[in-house]
Amino acid sequence: MELKDFKQRNISPGYIFFEGEKAPETGWQAFQKVVKRTLKGELFVGLWIVFREMIRFDIHTIQYPAQKMEMSPRYRAIHRLLRLFESGSERCIGCGLCEKICISNCIRMDTHIDEKSRKVVSEYSINFGRCIFCGYCAEVCPELAIVHGVEYENASEQRAHFGLKADMLTPLDTFRANEQKEFPGFGALSDNADEAVKQTPLAY
Amino acid sequence: MSDVLITIDGKQYTATEGEYVLGVARRNDIFIPALCYVTNCSPTLACRLCLVDIDGKRAYSCNARAKEGMNVITKTEEIEKERRAIMEIYDINHPLECGVCDQSGECELQNYTLHMGVDSQHHCIADTHRPTKQWGKIHYDASLCIVCERCVTVCKDMIGESALKTVPRGGAELDKTWKDKTEKDAYAMWNKLQKSIIGIASGAETLDCTQCGECTAVCPVGALVGSDFQYTSNAWELKKIPAANPHSSDCSLLYYDVKHTSTSNPEPKIYRVNSDHNYAPLHAAARYGFDFQNEVTCKDETAFARVVELLQTNVDTIVFDSYITNEEALILQKLKEKFGFKLVNEDAKAYQNFLKHFASTAGSNLYSGDLKSVSESNFVVSFGTAIKTDSPNAGYAMNNAIGMNKGAGLYFHPVADPIVSAYSKNLLSITHKIGAEEAIAYLLLDLFGDKETMPKSVVDYLTSFHTIEKKTIQESVKEDIKEMVKDEESGEEKEVVKTITKMVDKEIEVDTNALIELIGAEADLVEKITKLLDKKDSFSLIAGEDLFNHPRAENIAKLLGLIERFTAFKLLIIPSRTNTLGVSLICDLDDAKGNFSLGYNVKGDFTLSALGKGDLDMPALNQQEGTFTSMNKRVVPTNAALPFKGYCLNDIANAVGLEAEWTIDYTPYLPSEKGFKAEKFDHLPNRFENDGTENRGYALELQTFTCKDEVEPISSFTCKEGDVVYRANPVHQFSAFTNKAHQLSEAGALYASTAFLEAKSLHDGAVVTVENEAGAKLVIAVKEEKMIDGLIAYLPTFDTKIDTAPFFKEGYRFAHVVIKGVEHV
Ligand code: SF4
Ligand code: SF4
Ligand code: SF4
Ligand code: SF4
Ligand code: FES
């Protein structure tokens, strides 16, 4: 796709254009419209639908909080920091791309060198007072380390809750119990990722 | 050298004949990719990216010299293919660790890989294990190294230490079959790349150099980084704050890289110091001594009220040092004008007097040279300064000049310096007698002065040192003689010419210069200098702090004035502290203190201190905006990298009746009669242009006036027997401020050469007493200092716990003492 394709605003056929109701022009027309709307009984159309669904006992609402909704993997809620499946080590390498891309500038991290000469992320925080849950961080992350969770119950009496590394990182016991789920949402590899990779020759 | 016209990509540009084509292109904003070339250093031809087409032939623009009528094409299809192949080769086995690498985001390998559009790899070779090295303040990761040799080059050609070299990598041999499959230059580069990595030239385990860190600045990738900075922040998170080196008078352009302290602490913190390595080097103290800020939590109102009260009542003197900005100096001067305070600053006063006497014979208020003129000259003389530690940047300029301009130099100093001596084999180090600087100045006049125009009295005086004796020496001469030789076979006689060497007696005139003996140099000094002078045509002279408080300072200054006028030397008289020049121009300084003094960074009856050790805290130089006057005679701006929550000098001045909202409101009012300009602080530029012009602040205007030529003859200077100490700081240290920085902090000692330790049968770490006749006494540890030689030890000033001042009461940097080892019980 080239730039001009993006700029192309002509809508393809198949769209139905809705011009809308004509606005009344004279006082008489306006009066007619009011009378028509008042006496047509549109209110009862709605009421009838509700009543019909009620007596069918085929209810679509879920019984929250007893029942909870299963969110789509693409739902973007409070973030999680994942661990590597093989070793349980933290995935985040501290590359800082999420910090850079974050549109609300709400990610911060502290990194330093450890005894094994590796870069470690000693603290990682997202200010959820500012996060707009755009998902850019998850998308840019080269390690699939920062991802969105699916929990939507985020009430708390402290602003800083949920936003520290300890809150977001998969706890070790959850991890050991094999309960860390891979993230299929924003930024995850596509199913045909292998096909898209160019092979590099190897000397071994 | 004449100007020539060359064509680059169809446009004509003027260039100096012999200039590198890459330089011409850069000056005219034409981009030619180049990885291995470091401006002002010799081209190494390691990367071959700067490949261009010159008159139909392939050439490397970093070492192709401009010639009249040359036609340069920077981009052809063939060249682009070659460049892409080169970048592809660089990417073979390069670890995919950009995610953690410190250089990521400002990495030239990343940039060029993207720029050349390398999106796939066609080459491969087995990788070699290349372990990382921890070299003190520097971390070397060989697996990231692309062997561009910039570090080796800059260390040799700029810094002058040749501490690094390429060493065998021990990698896999390059299969010859690649030759046909790879572009020509890319293959050649690969072949070389596969053979080497960087190692320490001396073979030592860790870097045994001055650790200036310039190699980390030039490294295009993350192979050489500062150990302290490693993995603490990504480059793009850091805000660059342009400033000037606050520790020494080169006032080089540097950037404080600032970011919040941590996730939980939003206060800004300096993570590292960066520079524009292509234009000016930074020394270690500027690079590593950045966190000397004075942290206070709030305004100390009681102390502030007390100063204001004292200023209006008791205070009659303000004592201060030269680690202040021009604006602060002006505030102090204004306070003097308003309240009649005495201003006492020993260091600036000495410099001011020195310049005054210099001006009386030079006819100009300031010296004519600067660091640029030094590095552009091809004969550099340094005297009266321990250049390596007093002003590393002057040393770099000297080394750069000798190395790059086929130059030569002389280094006069009583303390032998193996590091400076190793700059070049064309640098002659003369370890002279203490106090002989006056004789050296006369010697320079004698050797380089224009005797026709020089005052007759001086010429006569100089002649009086010469004695011409007749001497008979034996000389070998070659003589041709003819001989008749009989050919044995044919029996014919032939005439053959033979050359034989004969010794003959010859009478010659020997000119003995008595000055040489006064200096304490070897008798053949003049002869050696004459040899070094072959084909030299531009001269610079560096003079420094030893002279300002020399017992004969006045006369030496006048002699320097004569040298400025009657020789081809361009002079650079190094201001001893960061803003000594500025203070000496702005303030009207007094000699003696009154009864009650207010100290600013110096101990007074009431002390304002940016070190946090006084009665009222002041902002340190990385918390202040303002200007410095550098040794390049430029007024350069510096900015605040960190906030300061207390009071500054301007607040105090305002409280006693001066009026200015900010300190920098004073910038346009710096004294114009001293050469300052009425420029507002915010209008001052602070950058280097593409052609290397230092577009920072503005240059001071020089004043000229008629001069007197009265100089005195050399006064005899006898050196007492016994131990001598020199006042100097070790490399990395300049003042208590550098010592406050966490990377540089160390305990002061008596620094002595290995020879000194042997002569006194002391060892590193031994404790000695240093005493002088006046009764000053110091118990201090001895530290072995490998970077000096000879029997003069030095005492530092950077450690506030060691009071060395009583030994140097008169200000002269050499002092007689008695050093005795302390017996351990
Ligand atoms: S979701 Fe968007 S706004 Fe929130 S942290 Fe990620 S990048 Fe920033
Ligand atoms: S982008 Fe991913 S790996 Fe990089 S710092 Fe953010 S979470 Fe860590
Ligand atoms: S360490 Fe850096 S500067 Fe030195 S050769 Fe390697 S890549 Fe070049
Ligand atoms: S720190 Fe300075 S002197 Fe040492 S190797 Fe690097 S450039 Fe050379
Ligand atoms: S810059 Fe010319 S060869 Fe590398």
Side-chain angles (χ1 to χ4, degrees):
Chain A
M1 233 183 180
E2 285 175 32
L3 186 63
K4 73 171 194 312
D5 299 322
F6 283 108
K7 287 187 172 167
Q8 169 72 275
R9 298 276 169 199
N10 290 340
I11 301 150
S12 55
Y15 275 83
I16 303 162
F17 290 91
F18 177 64
E19 300 284 324
E21 221 175 312
K22 256 205 197 138
E25 274 162 26
T26 60
W28 175 239
Q29 282 173 355
F31 176 72
Q32 275 183 314
K33 192 176 160 188
V34 170
V35 173
K36 222 161 122 192
R37 285 202 171 170
T38 319
L39 300 180
K40 205 179 164 195
E42 273 168 335
L43 174 66
F44 297 102
V45 178
L47 279 179
W48 161 242
I49 292 172
V50 173
F51 181 70
R52 190 186 66 197
E53 294 303 313
M54 202 175 84
I55 55 175
R56 269 196 198 164
F57 294 104
D58 176 20
I59 297 171
H60 283 250
T61 17
I62 53 168
Q63 306 288 318
Y64 182 83
Q67 258 182 327
K68 285 187 184 162
M69 190 147 82
E70 184 75 22
M71 301 309 289
S72 141
R74 312 216 94 194
Y75 183 69
R76 302 193 296 267
I78 291 285
H79 303 63
R80 286 179 181 158
L81 278 165
L82 301 185
R83 290 179 185 273
L84 284 171
F85 280 114
E86 298 81 5
S87 60
S89 317
E90 294 165 23
R91 286 190 188 179
C92 173
I93 55 169
C95 72
L97 292 182
C98 50
E99 188 179 15
K100 176 70 190 165
I101 205 166
C102 177
I103 211 158
S104 357
N105 207 0
C106 62
I107 300 183
R108 273 185 183 180
M109 63 188 72
D110 296 343
T111 56
H112 63 84
I113 187 165
D114 73 358
E115 330 65 62
K116 290 188 218 134
S117 297
R118 296 186 136 243
K119 188 172 186 175
V120 285
V121 180
S122 43
E123 188 48 274
Y124 184 102
S125 73
I126 301 183
N127 178 351
F128 285 115
R130 288 169 67 177
C131 174
I132 57 161
F133 300 94
C134 60
Y136 281 7
C137 49
E139 193 175 356
V140 78
C141 180
E143 305 292 316
L144 262 191
I146 186 84
V147 299
H148 283 287
V150 289
E151 288 81 25
Y152 43 84
E153 294 159 309
N154 304 325
S156 149
E157 66 271 15
Q158 284 286 323
R159 199 182 259 259
H161 280 177
F162 312 113
L164 298 178
K165 185 177 161 194
D167 303 322
M168 292 184 278
L169 187 64
T170 315
L172 266 179
D173 40 359
T174 319
F175 178 79
R176 290 205 188 99
N178 260 335
E179 276 167 28
Q180 176 177 290
K181 300 247 159 40
E182 191 44 270
F183 174 71
F186 239 48
L189 290 182
S190 58
D191 293 337
N192 64 344
D194 278 347
E195 292 157 31
V197 169
K198 269 192 207 169
Q199 296 283 335
T200 297
L202 270 183
Y204 309 97
Chain B
M1 298 241 174
S2 52
D3 279 356
V4 292
L5 271 182
I6 70 169
T7 313
I8 305 179
D9 290 341
K11 273 197 201 153
Q12 286 210 317
Y13 300 99
T14 38
T16 321
E17 185 168 8
E19 192 184 357
Y20 293 129
V21 172
L22 184 63
V24 186
R26 287 185 173 172
R27 175 146 40 89
N28 294 294
D29 298 337
I30 299 168
F31 173 65
I32 299 178
L35 249 177
C36 67
Y37 180 67
V38 188
T39 316
N40 300 328
C41 297
S42 44
T44 48
L45 292 193
C47 79
R48 295 162 183 252
L49 273 182
C50 65
L51 182 69
V52 289
D53 180 295
I54 297 182
D55 297 330
K57 283 200 211 79
R58 281 179 169 220
Y60 305 105
S61 58
C62 70
N63 87 331
R65 295 179 183 275
K67 277 201 219 77
E68 178 68 44
M70 200 177 229
N71 184 25
V72 184
I73 302 167
T74 64
K75 238 185 196 182
T76 63
E77 209 173 297
E78 184 199 331
I79 289 174
E80 295 211 302
K81 238 174 111 192
E82 192 70 68
R83 288 186 185 147
R84 190 198 176 281
I86 291 172
M87 287 323 294
E88 205 178 300
I89 300 289
Y90 274 134
D91 289 337
I92 303 172
N93 293 340
H94 191 88
L96 282 175
E97 58 173 73
C98 301
V100 294
C101 180
D102 284 312
Q103 198 77 359
S104 183
E106 48 184 28
C107 169
E108 290 176 46
L109 183 68
Q110 267 181 352
N111 291 355
Y112 283 126
T113 298
L114 292 175
H115 187 89
M116 311 299 174
V118 181
D119 56 357
S120 56
Q121 181 61 271
H122 303 98
H123 306 84
C124 63
I125 192 162
D127 205 354
T128 328
H129 176 56
R130 285 162 281 162
T132 59
K133 301 272 166 62
Q134 193 61 48
W135 291 335
K137 293 187 177 54
I138 294 163
H139 182 264
Y140 176 58
D141 188 337
S143 63
L144 295 172
C145 174
I146 58 169
V147 203
C148 63
E149 294 179 41
R150 272 197 200 172
C151 50
V152 179
T153 314
V154 87
C155 187
K156 175 166 174 290
D157 292 342
M158 183 58 73
I159 306 304
E161 298 200 33
S162 310
L164 299 169
K165 64 168 186 193
T166 51
V167 296
R169 174 193 293 235
E173 192 80 12
L174 191 55
D175 198 277
K176 292 283 173 294
T177 54
W178 287 113
K179 192 161 185 172
D180 309 324
K181 291 188 267 177
T182 314
E183 269 70 13
K184 195 168 126 245
D185 280 292
Y187 180 79
M189 188 279 287
W190 192 7
N191 210 354
K192 209 172 139 206
L193 174 71
Q194 205 48 35
K195 289 190 179 131
S196 36
I197 52 168
I198 301 301
I200 296 169
S202 68
E205 269 305 293
T206 187
L207 262 180
D208 41 5
C209 57
T210 55
Q211 298 249 332
C212 68
E214 192 61 19
C215 48
T216 62
V218 297
C219 183
V221 295
L224 284 170
V225 295
S227 314
D228 177 73
F229 175 70
Q230 204 186 3
Y231 294 166
T232 53
S233 175
N234 287 304
W236 54 80
E237 293 300 331
L238 299 165
K239 190 170 154 206
K240 292 196 180 313
I241 297 184
N245 175 10
H247 297 306
S248 59
S249 55
D250 53 83
C251 300
S252 299
L253 174 61
L254 54 79
Y255 299 94
Y256 290 113
D257 279 359
V258 176
K259 189 178 94 165
H260 53 80
T261 311
S262 69
T263 46
S264 49
N265 183 358
E267 290 294 318
K269 171 183 156 184
I270 303 175
Y271 279 75
R272 64 170 173 187
V273 157
N274 234 320
S275 63
D276 281 340
H277 63 78
N278 265 315
Y279 306 120
L282 275 190
H283 60 64
R287 192 181 320 277
Y288 300 122
F290 51 80
D291 52 343
F292 58 98
Q293 69 275 8
N294 190 15
E295 271 163 39
V296 297
T297 46
C298 61
K299 288 187 172 357
D300 183 348
E301 282 168 25
T302 21
F304 181 73
R306 179 97 185 104
V307 194
V308 175
E309 186 203 315
L310 284 174
L311 275 176
Q312 283 155 342
T313 52
N314 296 16
V315 172
D316 59 1
T317 309
I318 300 177
V319 283
F320 62 110
D321 68 6
S322 305
Y323 295 109
I324 62 172
T325 61
N326 289 327
E327 288 72 16
E328 287 180 292
L330 183 61
I331 293 177
L332 294 178
Q333 175 64 18
K334 288 205 181 285
L335 288 177
K336 170 174 183 155
E337 281 158 19
K338 193 164 165 136
F339 298 100
F341 299 137
K342 289 183 176 158
L343 293 185
V344 177
N345 178 334
E346 285 169 13
D347 138 76
K349 180 75 187 168
Y351 191 73
Q352 195 175 50
N353 285 342
F354 196 80
L355 276 191
K356 188 178 86 197
H357 297 305
F358 168 79
S360 74
T361 54
S364 152
N365 70 331
L366 288 172
Y367 47 87
S368 63
D370 55 21
L371 287 176
K372 192 159 193 258
S373 71
V374 173
S375 59
E376 281 170 356
S377 60
N378 55 21
F379 193 82
V380 191
V381 179
S382 156
F383 88 115
T385 175
I387 202 167
K388 175 192 69 203
T389 47
D390 283 358
S391 178
N393 285 54
Y396 304 157
M398 180 174 184
N399 166 64
N400 193 233
I402 299 175
M404 302 311 297
N405 309 339
K406 298 199 188 78
L410 306 175
Y411 176 71
F412 290 95
H413 205 267
V415 184
D417 191 325
I419 302 273
V420 175
S421 307
Y423 279 175
S424 160
K425 61 177 185 337
N426 291 328
L427 178 99
L428 182 62
S429 287
I430 301 124
T431 311
H432 62 80
K433 283 187 195 157
I434 293 168
E437 286 86 352
E438 201 177 12
I440 296 171
Y442 267 117
L443 179 70
L444 292 174
L445 267 179
D446 189 26
L447 291 175
F448 298 94
D450 179 1
K451 305 260 164 56
E452 311 275 291
T453 49
M454 252 198 300
K456 185 148 183 321
S457 57
V458 180
V459 178
D460 290 345
Y461 183 61
L462 287 173
T463 324
S464 73
F465 289 103
H466 289 267
T467 37
I468 296 184
E469 286 170 64
K470 289 220 166 36
K471 229 185 181 179
T472 327
I473 55 157
Q474 283 216 316
E475 202 185 35
S476 65
V477 281
K478 293 212 164 90
E479 206 176 28
D480 289 347
I481 49 162
K482 287 181 187 158
E483 235 176 64
M484 300 303 274
V485 184
K486 198 173 179 184
D487 193 333
E488 293 194 354
E489 274 171 37
S490 61
E492 270 177 59
E493 281 211 342
K494 257 205 313 200
E495 201 182 76
V496 177
V497 184
K498 264 194 181 172
T499 314
I500 56 157
T501 319
K502 269 211 299 197
M503 300 303 274
V504 288
D505 283 352
K506 197 181 162 196
E507 200 161 79
I508 55 158
E509 286 185 348
V510 181
D511 180 358
T512 330
N513 191 339
L515 284 170
I516 306 288
E517 212 205 307
L518 280 178
I519 293 168
E522 316 229 326
D524 58 352
L525 180 65
V526 177
E527 218 172 288
K528 280 189 184 151
I529 296 179
T530 321
K531 246 189 229 151
L532 291 177
L533 275 172
D534 185 35
K535 296 208 196 99
K536 304 295 180 290
D537 52 13
S538 69
F539 301 82
S540 34
L541 175 64
I542 302 171
E545 202 186 332
D546 295 3
L547 309 177
F548 310 153
N549 281 307
H550 193 282
R552 301 286 297 158
E554 182 179 334
N555 202 40
I556 297 175
K558 289 180 178 167
L559 289 169
L560 283 183
L562 292 185
I563 293 178
E564 177 87 288
R565 244 169 76 221
F566 298 109
T567 69
F569 279 113
K570 280 198 158 184
L571 254 70
L572 172 58
I573 305 177
I574 304 173
S576 32
R577 310 277 178 271
T578 307
N579 203 17
T580 303
L581 177 57
V583 173
S584 69
L585 290 174
I586 296 164
C587 297
D588 197 357
L589 298 168
D590 298 277
D591 285 314
K593 282 194 229 178
N595 299 324
F596 193 97
S597 61
L598 176 71
Y600 185 13
N601 288 338
V602 173
K603 186 122 196 61
D605 296 311
F606 189 93
T607 310
L608 312 174
S609 170
L611 279 168
K613 288 183 178 156
D615 303 304
L616 178 64
D617 285 303
M618 288 280 122
L621 286 177
N622 56 4
Q623 295 168 303
Q624 283 207 56
E625 46 183 11
T627 58
F628 298 132
T629 311
S630 75
M631 66 164 85
N632 294 339
K633 300 164 294 176
R634 271 187 172 275
V635 179
V636 295
T638 186
N639 287 299
L642 301 173
F644 181 71
K645 297 195 179 116
Y647 292 101
C648 65
L649 192 64
N650 189 41
D651 297 326
I652 300 175
N654 284 344
V656 294
L658 295 188
E659 262 174 54
E661 190 180 359
W662 308 106
T663 309
I664 50 161
D665 289 350
Y666 286 104
T667 315
Y669 304 107
L670 293 171
S672 58
E673 67 280 7
K674 293 289 168 59
F676 290 93
K677 292 186 186 160
E679 294 261 6
K680 282 208 177 115
F681 178 79
D682 291 331
H683 297 168
L684 298 178
N686 198 11
R687 61 167 181 275
F688 282 95
E689 301 299 344
N690 263 358
D691 61 354
T693 325
E694 187 182 15
N695 188 6
R696 304 177 57 212
Y698 58 83
L700 285 178
E701 247 157 77
L702 261 56
Q703 268 109 41
T704 45
F705 24 79
T706 46
C707 38
K708 299 174 278 189
D709 294 330
E710 290 155 14
V711 285
E712 289 168 26
I714 299 173
S715 98
S716 66
F717 186 96
T718 44
C719 220
K720 278 171 273 174
E721 289 292 301
D723 300 323
V724 174
V725 282
Y726 181 54
R727 186 184 67 224
N729 287 315
V731 268
H732 298 187
Q733 298 294 356
F734 286 85
S735 62
F737 293 109
T738 49
N739 199 31
K740 200 176 169 187
H742 81 281
Q743 288 191 72
L744 301 181
S745 181
E746 61 182 307
L750 176 73
Y751 297 86
S753 68
T754 315
F756 178 98
L757 293 183
E758 259 166 39
K760 291 247 168 208
S761 38
L762 289 167
H763 58 90
D764 184 51
V767 178
V768 293
T769 56
V770 182
E771 281 174 89
N772 72 1
E773 281 167 7
K777 187 176 169 181
L778 192 66
V779 181
I780 191 170
V782 189
K783 198 161 175 184
E784 182 171 4
E785 167 69 293
K786 294 224 159 67
M787 294 185 193
I788 57 165
D789 237 330
L791 296 180
I792 303 177
Y794 67 84
L795 275 178
T797 58
F798 72 90
D799 190 347
T800 45
K801 294 197 190 77
I802 303 170
D803 187 11
T804 54
F807 296 100
F808 306 97
K809 271 259 152 49
E810 267 89 64
Y812 188 44
R813 288 178 80 179
F814 292 92
H816 288 276
V817 292
V818 181
I819 300 174
K820 274 197 218 121
V822 175
E823 296 294 323
H824 280 283
V825 257

